[in-house]
């Protein structure tokens, strides 16, 4: 079974600085997707960034980028120029690819990391 | 599209009562997930469906929990009888398989069992 581990329950950063959130996962599969979701106090889950396992290039979305190390099964999120609005809980997630088809199945989340941004 | 719609947003019930949570996925999505979020256990996958068929219910904590998806536009999660330890936020999410893998979440139902 796939497991996702976020070892940092809480992180903090100064506004305008850079912070990196860690995520590791365990899988025997070669094809899968990885995601970072953000959950602000409103409770709404918002997709931040996604990474296809077969792509070596790290995904980037504006101030958000990932460091995907497939061999190490590591998928960290870097937030540059942190803003007060980035304060939220961040979840790393893994979605398996069903071999022989084009469907994606089970979506598993880590425990989450609470990010605090100090002005 | 209005997104994934969950009802109710908040539910307070007494221990032993039956609770039914409802979810309307995004039209055309073929995957539906039910998650439970607590401070202690984080975001746990309870069950997920593909084309209305339950694929993996290994996360359902006890027989008191059951989920159905009678058609592509509706799913329910039922707890009978409810217990205080079931208090949590329950999320429903839907996605497309094969084309785009992002899961879209509803606003969640905050359940309090007293």
């Amino acid at each position: 079974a796939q497991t996702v581990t976020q070892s940092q329950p809480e992180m903090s950063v100064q506004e305008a600085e850079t912070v990196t959130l860690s995520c590791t996962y365990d899988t025997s599969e070669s094809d899968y997707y990885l995601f970072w979701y953000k959950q602000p106090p409103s409770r709404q889950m918002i997709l931040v960034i996604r990474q296809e396992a077969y792509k070596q290039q790290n995904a980037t979305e504006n101030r958000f980028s990932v460091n995907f190390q497939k061999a190490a099964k590591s998928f960290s999120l870097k937030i540059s120029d942190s803003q007060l609005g980035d304060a939220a809980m961040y979840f790393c997630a893994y979605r398996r690819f069903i071999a022989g088809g084009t469907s994606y199945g089970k979506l598993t989340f880590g425990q989450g990391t609470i990010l605090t941004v100090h002005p | 599209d209005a997104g994934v719609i969950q009802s109710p947003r908040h539910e307070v019930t007494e221990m032993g009562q039956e609770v039914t949570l409802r979810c309307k996925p995004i039209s055309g999505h073929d995957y539906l997930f039910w998650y439970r979020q607590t401070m202690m256990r984080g975001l746990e996958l309870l069950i997920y469906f593909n084309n209305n068929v339950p694929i993996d219910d290994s996360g359902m904590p006890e027989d008191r929990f059951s989920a159905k998806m009678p058609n592509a536009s509706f799913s329910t999660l039922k707890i009978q009888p409810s217990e205080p330890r079931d208090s949590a936020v329950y999320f429903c999410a839907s996605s497309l398989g094969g084309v785009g893998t992002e899961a879209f979440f509803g606003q969640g139902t905050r359940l309090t069992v007293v």
Side-chain angles (χ1 to χ4, degrees):
Chain A
Q2 297 80 29
T3 58
V4 180
T5 303
Q6 294 178 249
S7 59
Q8 306 154 317
E10 297 183 35
M11 291 285 284
S12 63
V13 64
Q14 290 293 130
E15 198 174 4
E17 297 295 310
T18 296
V19 64
T20 298
L21 307 184
S22 301
C23 173
T24 59
Y25 57 95
D26 184 26
T27 184
S28 58
E29 298 168 344
S30 59
D31 292 321
Y32 47 87
Y33 266 72
L34 297 166
F35 305 85
W36 279 97
Y37 277 85
K38 168 185 177 181
Q39 186 182 41
S42 68
R43 213 164 71 195
Q44 181 68 52
M45 294 285 282
I46 303 165
L47 179 68
V48 175
I49 199 166
R50 82 185 81 190
Q51 174 79 42
E52 297 93 329
Y54 64 86
K55 288 187 177 180
Q56 293 190 352
Q57 185 175 6
N58 290 324
T60 300
E61 287 287 341
N62 300 315
R63 298 182 296 105
F64 299 86
S65 62
V66 299
N67 183 5
F68 174 47
Q69 301 290 328
K70 190 172 184 179
K73 298 178 183 176
S74 170
F75 182 60
S76 60
L77 175 69
K78 185 171 81 171
I79 306 174
S80 304
D81 186 25
S82 298
Q83 301 175 359
L84 295 177
D86 295 334
M89 179 169 278
Y90 286 80
F91 290 94
C92 176
Y94 171 103
R95 186 157 196 198
R96 66 179 301 225
F97 176 87
I98 298 175
T102 59
S103 294
Y104 295 84
K106 190 172 184 175
L107 179 62
T108 305
F109 285 82
Q111 293 290 85
T113 297
I114 298 172
L115 177 66
T116 302
V117 181
H118 298 289
Chain B
D1 200 315
V4 176
I5 300 173
Q6 290 187 248
S7 63
R9 288 293 307 278
H10 305 275
E11 176 80 30
V12 180
T13 190
E14 292 186 347
M15 182 174 61
Q17 296 297 306
E18 177 180 295
V19 175
T20 299
L21 310 182
R22 297 173 175 79
C23 175
K24 177 179 169 55
I26 292 174
S27 176
H29 282 189
D30 56 350
Y31 280 86
L32 185 138
F33 303 84
W34 281 102
Y35 291 91
R36 178 172 68 175
Q37 185 177 23
T38 61
M39 288 298 294
M40 291 296 293
R41 302 174 70 90
L43 201 60
E44 302 173 275
L45 176 64
L46 300 177
I47 185 171
Y48 77 97
F49 296 82
N50 179 218
N51 292 321
N52 312 338
V53 177
I55 303 301
D56 186 344
D57 65 353
S58 59
M60 297 286 260
E62 301 171 34
D63 291 344
R64 299 185 295 108
F65 286 71
S66 62
K68 294 182 180 180
M69 193 164 186
N71 57 61
S73 60
F74 184 66
S75 177
T76 59
L77 178 67
K78 185 178 293 186
I79 308 172
Q80 165 64 19
S82 58
E83 296 182 3
R85 59 195 169 114
D86 301 331
S87 298
V89 178
Y90 291 81
F91 284 99
C92 174
S94 71
S95 77
L96 274 174
V99 180
T101 61
E102 176 185 355
F104 293 82
F105 282 75
Q107 291 279 69
T109 296
R110 180 176 292 280
L111 173 66
T112 303
V113 183
V114 298

